[in-house]
Amino acid sequence: MLEAIRRLFGAKEKFQSPPVGYLNPHSTLGELDLYLITEGRHEKLWGALGAHVRRDSEGKLIGTAFSVWAPNARAVSLIGDHNFWDRKTNPMIPLGANGLWEVFIPDVGPGLKYKFAIQGRDGRWVDHADPLARQTEIPPATASVVNESSYVWSDKDWMTSRTGYQPWRSPVSIYEVHLGSWRPGLSYQELAIELSSYVKELGFTHIEFLPVTEHPYSPSWGYQVTSYFAPTSRFGTPDEFRFLVDHLHNEGIGVLLDWVPAHFPKDEWALGRFDGTALYEHEDPRLGEHPDWGTFIFNFGRNEVRNFLVASALYWLDEFHIDGLRVDAVASMLYLDYSRKEGEWVPNENGGRENLAAVRFLQEATATAYKQFPGIMMIAEESTAWSGVTKPTSENGLGFGFKWNMGWMHDTLEYLKHEPVHRVYHHNEITFSILYAWSENFLLPLSHDEVVHGKGALVNKFPGDRWQKVATLRALYGYMWSHPGKKLLFMGCEFAQNDEWRESQSLDWHLTEYQEHRGVQLLLSDLNSLYQSSPALWQRDVSSEGFQWLIGDDASGNTLAFIRWSDSGKPIVSVTNFSPVPHESYSLPLPVVGDWFELLNTDDSKYGGSGVVNKEVNCLAQGERGFNYSAKVRIPPLGTVWFSLKD
C-alpha cells in the first residue's frame, strides 16, 4: 500500500509513515460538493474546502479535515506545527479528476498553523497558504491557522429589520475607515467600543472599512489581498472581528467592507501559480497581469475561480453579517485594455475591449448576494461611463445597488481648486453632475484616494488663507449633503485634518482641541442629524422628481441654489456661495408660500464661520426666475445655507 501511494504521488522521498486520511471518514467533501465545485456553483465553498475541525457528539475533538483545489499538482502535502513542517509526513489524497486533495489529521484542532506544500509539474515544491483559510498568522508571518468559531451573535433585531431595508430610499452617510491608523494600537474589541461611540456621536449611518481581508503588506492599505476568507489578524481573531460588527449593529450602525476581486499579489506563498501553473490567473500576461499594480488578474472565465470569488463575497455577508460590499477597481475588470497600450491586450470573442467573463462574474456576484441577503448594498467603484452599472442583471446591467460618482467628485474638487475670481469660467464643472445624476444610483465619495499620493489633505486643496480654506470645506460639506446621492467621507476629513493621510500614522486627533477643527466636526454632526431627519434629502435620491433647480446660472456670483423634494412634497432649499464675498439681500426664488426659516448655515459662528446668518426669512408674493414666490436672504461668503418650511 505504501509503495502504491508513493507511485500515486510521483514522490521520490520515502514517507516516514503511511499517509493519515487516505480512507477518510471525516471528509468535508460529498458528491454534491464535488459536483458544485466542478460546475462553479458552490455558494458555501468555505464549508467544503480549507480546514474544518471535527468533534464527536459530546464536543470532544476528533481532528481536522483539510482540503484544497490544485488540479495540476503532482503531489500535495499538509505541513504545519503538528508535523514540524515536514512534507513527507502527511501527503494528501487526490479525489478523482477534479483536482481536489484532502487529508484528515487526528487530534489537531483550532490554532494549528499550517500550509499546503505543492509539487508542480516541474517537480518543484512550493509552500502555499490555504486559499480558503479563515484565519492567518499575524503578518509578516504567512501561515494559515485552523479556525473554529464559537461566537454567539446578538444582532437579531438588526438582521431582521435589514431584510426590509431599502437603501436607495433611505439616508446613507458613510464614514470610511482604515482600521490601522484611525487610532493605532486598538484591537477589534477596543475599536468596537471607541469607534462605535465616535461614529454614533457624529451621526453617520454606516462605517466602511478599507479591506480587512488579510494582506501581508501594510502599505497596500489592504488592497493586496492574499486571504479572501480571513479578516486580518493584526487586530485580533475572526470572532473578535465578529464582535466589532455585532457591537456596531447594536449601536445602530451598518458595516460595509471594501472587497478586492480585481487583482491579487504575486507572492509565491499565496495564490500566484498556485499548483505550479497559472491556476487563479491567466497564463498570458496580456490577460493575467495588471500593469499599474504589478499584480495578477483573476481568470474570471474559469468556473472554479469565479466560484472562489463569489463565495468570498457571500462569506463576508453570511459569516460576519456584513451589510454590503464596495467592490474596488471595477473599471479595471470591465476593460481588457485597461491601462494597456495597443498590442498589449487581447480582444474578446467579438473583437471588442469588454471583458465579458468579468461582466458575467460581477452579475453573478451581485445577483446572488442580493438574492441571499436582501437589504444589503453592493457598491461599485467604477470610474468610466460604462452603462448599466446599477441596472438589474435581468436587464443586462451589472446589478450593483450603487455606483461611486467619481465624476461629481472630480468636477467638484476641480472647480474648488480655482481661485474664486476664476470660478466664473468653470461654473459648468459644479453644475454638470445634475445632467447625469439619475443615470445610475449614485453615492458621492470624498474617499481616501483624494488625500494620498501627494494630493494633500482635503482642506488644503482650496485656495486662499486658512479661514477661506476651512470655510470652503464647510461649504462643500453643506453642498454635498444636500446634493442628490448618498454620502461617503474618509476619516480625518470630518475635522479638517491638516496633513495627507498616511497608513502608518494616527489621525491628528489633537487638532480637535482647536476651535476651527471642532467647528468642522460639529458641522458634520449637525449635517448628519438634519440629513437623517429630512426625507427631502434622501427619499428621492434616485429620481429626478426629487430635485429642482432654483438658480443654476449665477456663474459670476459663484452661487447655485436648488430644491430637494420629499414624497410628501415638503421642500428643502439649498444655496451655496463659493465666492469669498457675502451676498446681502440675495433674491432667492421659493417654490411655495409659507413660513421659511434657516435650517442650517455653514457660516454659523459655532462652526467657526463669520456669522452671516438669517434670523428670519420673509417670503414674498413676488415672482422670481419662473417661481411665484421669493425672499431676500443673506448668503454668507464661502458658505452653504439650507432653508426649510415650518411644519
Side-chain angles (χ1 to χ4, degrees), residues 99-410:
L100 297 172
W101 303 71
E102 71 170 358
V103 70
F104 177 76
I105 309 298
D107 302 323
V108 302
L112 176 74
K113 298 173 185 176
Y114 71 97
K115 282 187 178 183
F116 297 120
I118 299 177
Q119 185 185 37
R121 290 286 172 84
D122 61 358
R124 181 168 173 263
W125 287 89
V126 178
D127 299 342
H128 287 273
D130 181 358
L132 273 293
R134 301 189 303 283
Q135 187 175 350
T136 70
E137 282 190 287
I138 299 174
T142 59
S144 303
V145 177
V146 175
N147 175 260
E148 183 183 39
S149 177
S150 60
Y151 192 77
V152 179
W153 290 89
S154 63
D155 63 349
K156 182 179 178 181
D157 290 345
W158 174 276
M159 296 298 286
T160 300
S161 64
R162 194 185 73 182
T163 60
Y165 180 54
Q166 295 180 320
W168 59 92
R169 286 182 53 79
S170 302
V172 175
S173 60
I174 303 167
Y175 185 60
E176 190 188 30
V177 174
H178 176 261
L179 284 173
S181 58
W182 186 72
R183 281 181 179 154
L186 299 182
S187 67
Y188 286 133
Q189 291 173 307
E190 292 165 334
L191 282 161
I193 307 304
E194 295 196 26
L195 187 56
S196 65
S197 175
Y198 182 72
V199 171
K200 191 173 181 179
E201 181 181 348
L202 283 180
F204 286 94
T205 63
H206 292 75
I207 289 176
E208 180 180 314
F209 294 130
L210 270 62
V212 299
T213 35
E214 190 59 275
H215 51 284
Y217 185 55
S218 293
S220 79
W221 317 328
Y223 291 97
Q224 300 276 12
V225 178
T226 51
S227 294
Y228 278 80
F229 293 80
T232 179
S233 55
R234 290 169 174 82
F235 315 114
T237 67
D239 274 358
E240 288 168 343
F241 180 68
R242 286 181 173 91
F243 174 79
L244 169 59
V245 177
D246 199 14
H247 188 77
L248 287 166
H249 282 174
N250 284 311
E251 292 297 318
I253 301 166
V255 182
L256 309 174
L257 293 186
D258 266 17
W259 182 59
V260 192
H263 61 111
F264 62 98
K266 295 181 177 180
D267 300 77
E268 187 178 56
W269 55 268
L271 292 177
R273 300 194 71 82
F274 187 76
D275 63 356
T277 68
L279 186 63
Y280 286 89
E281 68 274 27
H282 289 272
E283 187 70 50
D284 187 337
R286 294 176 300 170
L287 295 168
E289 295 188 21
H290 200 293
D292 285 352
W293 303 315
T295 52
F296 286 132
I297 299 172
F298 283 104
N299 183 351
F300 301 111
R302 187 164 194 166
N303 282 350
E304 295 90 345
V305 175
R306 188 185 68 250
N307 190 175
F308 171 81
L309 291 171
V310 172
S312 169
L314 301 178
Y315 175 73
W316 295 97
L317 300 171
D318 188 353
E319 292 285 331
F320 293 96
H321 292 197
I322 298 302
D323 301 297
L325 301 174
R326 176 264 195 185
V327 183
D328 179 64
V330 170
S332 74
M333 292 186 275
L334 292 176
Y335 298 98
L336 294 165
D337 63 344
Y338 187 89
S339 287
R340 298 179 190 274
K341 299 175 183 177
E342 187 175 350
E344 295 179 347
W345 59 283
V346 180
N348 63 30
E349 60 206 52
N350 302 319
R353 59 198 283 255
E354 300 82 10
N355 189 334
L356 303 179
V359 170
R360 289 190 290 268
F361 153 65
L362 291 169
Q363 290 174 327
E364 181 179 343
T366 56
T368 308
Y370 276 121
K371 179 180 178 181
Q372 291 195 19
F373 305 98
I376 62 159
M377 287 186 278
M378 296 294 285
I379 304 166
E381 186 220 7
E382 202 286 309
S383 55
T384 74
W386 184 282
S387 179
V389 172
T390 58
K391 230 174 153 179
T393 56
S394 60
E395 300 176 22
N396 204 34
L398 296 184
F400 285 94
F402 294 97
K403 171 181 172 174
W404 275 22
N405 194 336
M406 308 295 281
W408 171 87
M409 175 277 299
H410 179 269

Side-chain angles (χ1 to χ4, degrees), residues 74-89:
R74 289 178 60 183
V76 183
S77 187
L78 181 77
I79 57 175
D81 286 342
H82 69 292
N83 63 14
F84 303 100
W85 301 87
D86 177 16
R87 63 173 176 260
K88 304 184 191 75
T89 305

Side-chain angles (χ1 to χ4, degrees), residues 458-506:
L458 195 60
V459 70
N460 291 327
K461 294 181 184 295
F462 316 127
D465 59 24
R466 179 65 184 178
W467 188 92
Q468 290 178 327
K469 289 178 184 292
V470 177
T472 303
L473 185 68
R474 293 193 305 264
L476 168 60
Y477 290 158
Y479 164 70
M480 175 180 177
W481 255 251
S482 57
H483 189 287
K486 310 309 177 186
K487 328 299 176 189
L488 178 141
L489 188 67
F490 185 56
M491 64 181 198
C493 297
E494 79 278 8
F495 60 80
Q497 166 108 1
N498 286 332
D499 294 330
E500 181 176 277
W501 171 65
R502 294 176 176 83
E503 98 288 332
S504 59
Q505 298 179 12
S506 172

